[in-house]
């Protein structure tokens, strides 16, 4: 599965936004059946998302994902049954409380895939892991749980985090302090998501930046996320896509550095440590270089 830099949420009941989404350079659209759809519109939205997948899946240059409702909503299984025949690129799972939720959804997907003649295991999952307090507290156990449940773990392609629902759940009235730093609860969520993703070996995708007219703020937040190890970011408005794509594309200098690291090791005759420009480089640098080169396989570098 190739790197997803930008993933644009598109409300599942809006034909206009679906059409607009197709004109963007987002790597993925996330057709939403959850929070951006009013409950009385859910039936219509399921049908629209299915139609859209049927019509556009082969043509769209974006990968078409679907966000379903949470397991706790009682609507998740009908959402899956409605959209899976449209063969979405993957499923975004919100408000996950524990790794067992992923396991349960994976088992339902197995049954649906088998029933529809799809390859069992072919629908990946992107998990929003910090929307509930329980979900956030469960993150330290993810790596162990994933190791114990390899079939659900194979579907897991990324973790992302959210703070809107989390702040409502804990009753937090502020998310940032006066200097613009995240309050500790939300720092924990962000870092917990990043570390759990790294521990399992899946992508860490940064959450949404809701001030969609503030491109400078979006760029700052995206830069920080990439600097910390996130490989992409969720978006809620088409204007956010160019900024996110730019920030999460490796620079030409980074790509050059990665090639030089690889060459330095090739010249080091199997040694685990060598040097580049007077700096010691060993396995962590090699891994970093591999990461950069893997991400250029699907995206061009930027100057
Ligand atoms: N996907 C696709 N198209 C979108 C879009 C989105 N997420 N957000 C806006 N657009 C379209 C608008 O329909 C409009 O298209 P038009 O030129 O055909 O009229 C154009 O982009 C400009 O939109 P703008 O007028 O700036 O914003 P808006 O007031 O129409 O919408 C939001 C603002 C926040 C309601 C809208 O961006 C949105 O629905 N975002 C997604 C929300 C969501 O999915 N939330 C759940 C995840 S947190
Ligand atoms: Mg939400």
């Amino acid at each position: 599965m190739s790197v997803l830099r930008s993933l644009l949420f598109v409300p599942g009941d809006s034909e206009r936004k679906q059409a607009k989404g197709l004109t963007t350079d987002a790597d993925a659209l996330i057709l939403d059946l959850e929070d951006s759809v009013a409950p009385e519109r859910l039936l219509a939205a399921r049908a629209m998302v299915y139609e859209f997948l049927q019509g556009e899946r082969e043509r769209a240059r974006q990968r078409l994902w679907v966000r379903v409702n949470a397991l706790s909503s009682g609507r998740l299984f009908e959402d899956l049954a409605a959209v899976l025949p449209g063969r979405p690129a993957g499923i975004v799972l919100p408000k996950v409380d524990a790794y067992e939720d992923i396991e349960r959804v994976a088992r339902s997907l197995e049954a649906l895939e088998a029933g529809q003649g799809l390859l069992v295991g072919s629908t990946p999952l992107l998990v929003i892991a910090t929307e509930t307090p329980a979900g956030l507290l469960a993150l330290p156990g993810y790596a162990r749980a994933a190791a114990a449940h390899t079939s659900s773990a194979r579907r897991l392609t990324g973790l992302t985090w959210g703070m809107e629902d989390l702040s409502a759940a804990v009753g937090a009235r502020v998310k940032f302090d006066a200097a613009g730093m995240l309050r500790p609860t939300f720092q924990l969520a962000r870092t917990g998501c990043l570390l759990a993703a790294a521990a399992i070996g899946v992508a860490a995708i940064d959450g949404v930046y809701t001030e969609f007219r503030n491109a400078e703020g979006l760029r700052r937040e995206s830069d920080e996320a990439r600097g910390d190890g996130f490989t992409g970011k969720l978006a809620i408005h088409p204007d956010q896509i160019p900024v996110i794509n730019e920030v999460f594309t490796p620079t030409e200098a980074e790509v050059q550095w990665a090639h030089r690291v690889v060459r330095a090791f090739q010249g080091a005759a199997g040694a685990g440590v060598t040097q580049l420009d007077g700096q010691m480089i060993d396995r962590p640098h090699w891994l970093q270089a591999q990461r950069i080169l893997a991400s250029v396989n699907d995206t061009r570098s930027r100057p």
Side-chain angles (χ1 to χ4, degrees):
M1 160 88 50
S2 47
V3 174
L4 294 175
R5 299 165 303 174
S6 54
L7 304 92
L8 175 62
F9 274 111
V10 182
D13 62 343
S14 170
E15 238 166 57
R16 189 179 183 120
K17 287 176 186 165
Q18 287 172 357
K20 181 85 176 184
L22 290 173
T23 69
T24 68
D25 286 326
D27 290 335
L29 303 182
I30 303 176
L31 306 162
D32 190 22
L33 295 177
E34 201 218 7
D35 284 350
S36 70
V37 175
E40 61 275 16
R41 300 268 301 161
L42 179 59
L43 279 181
R46 281 177 184 151
M48 283 176 67
V49 166
Y50 168 74
E51 290 288 316
F52 185 76
L53 289 168
Q54 279 291 87
E56 304 297 340
R57 184 184 63 234
E58 306 292 344
R59 283 193 300 209
R61 58 175 188 267
Q62 305 84 359
R63 272 157 283 174
L64 305 181
W65 286 62
V66 176
R67 177 166 73 173
V68 292
N69 283 281
L71 195 56
S72 57
S73 72
R75 297 188 287 262
L76 170 89
F77 298 111
E78 282 172 63
D79 286 350
L80 287 178
V83 300
L84 218 65
R87 303 186 51 193
I91 297 292
V92 178
L93 199 58
K95 299 185 181 69
V96 166
D97 279 328
Y99 190 89
E100 290 73 59
D101 290 6
I102 301 171
E103 184 62 17
R104 278 185 63 190
V105 172
R107 278 201 297 267
S108 303
L109 281 171
E110 275 174 22
L112 285 168
E113 286 165 343
Q116 289 165 20
L118 302 174
L119 188 65
V120 172
S122 60
T123 314
L125 290 173
L126 171 64
V127 165
I128 315 183
T130 71
E131 289 185 305
T132 70
L136 172 49
L137 292 172
L139 279 172
Y142 266 42
R144 234 169 232 276
H149 300 281
T150 47
S151 81
S152 59
R154 266 196 296 273
R155 288 183 191 271
L156 196 55
T157 59
L159 298 183
T160 183
W161 71 289
M163 52 182 174
E164 303 302 323
D165 293 277
L166 181 63
S167 66
V170 300
R173 277 165 295 180
V174 289
K175 302 188 195 81
F176 296 93
D177 67 17
M181 294 282 287
L182 283 173
R183 300 287 301 146
T185 303
F186 306 106
Q187 267 183 26
L188 188 69
R190 182 178 182 277
T191 305
C193 168
L194 182 68
L195 291 176
I200 316 173
V202 299
I205 306 289
D206 196 26
V208 298
Y209 184 72
T210 52
E211 287 177 47
F212 59 86
R213 307 267 184 236
N214 181 356
E216 213 170 287
L218 173 66
R219 181 175 293 274
R220 193 181 338 105
E221 195 172 277
S222 303
D223 275 333
E224 286 172 5
R226 179 162 191 264
D228 288 344
F230 290 94
T231 54
K233 189 167 174 64
L234 302 178
I236 51 160
H237 192 283
D239 290 353
Q240 296 185 317
I241 301 303
V243 174
I244 294 175
N245 282 349
E246 187 191 330
V247 170
F248 287 95
T249 301
T251 65
E252 188 53 41
E254 287 165 339
V255 176
Q256 291 310 325
W257 174 84
H259 281 301
R260 292 182 65 220
V261 168
V262 170
R263 277 200 299 271
F265 278 103
Q266 281 165 353
V273 59
T274 181
Q275 64 88 26
L276 184 65
D277 303 334
Q279 296 256 2
M280 178 202 76
I281 54 170
D282 60 2
R283 185 166 168 80
H285 303 92
W286 185 83
L287 283 175
Q288 193 72 4
Q290 295 301 316
R291 238 180 229 264
I292 291 169
L293 295 176
S295 67
V296 238
N297 285 341
D298 349 271
T299 59
R300 283 182 304 273
S301 65
R302 60 187 154 104

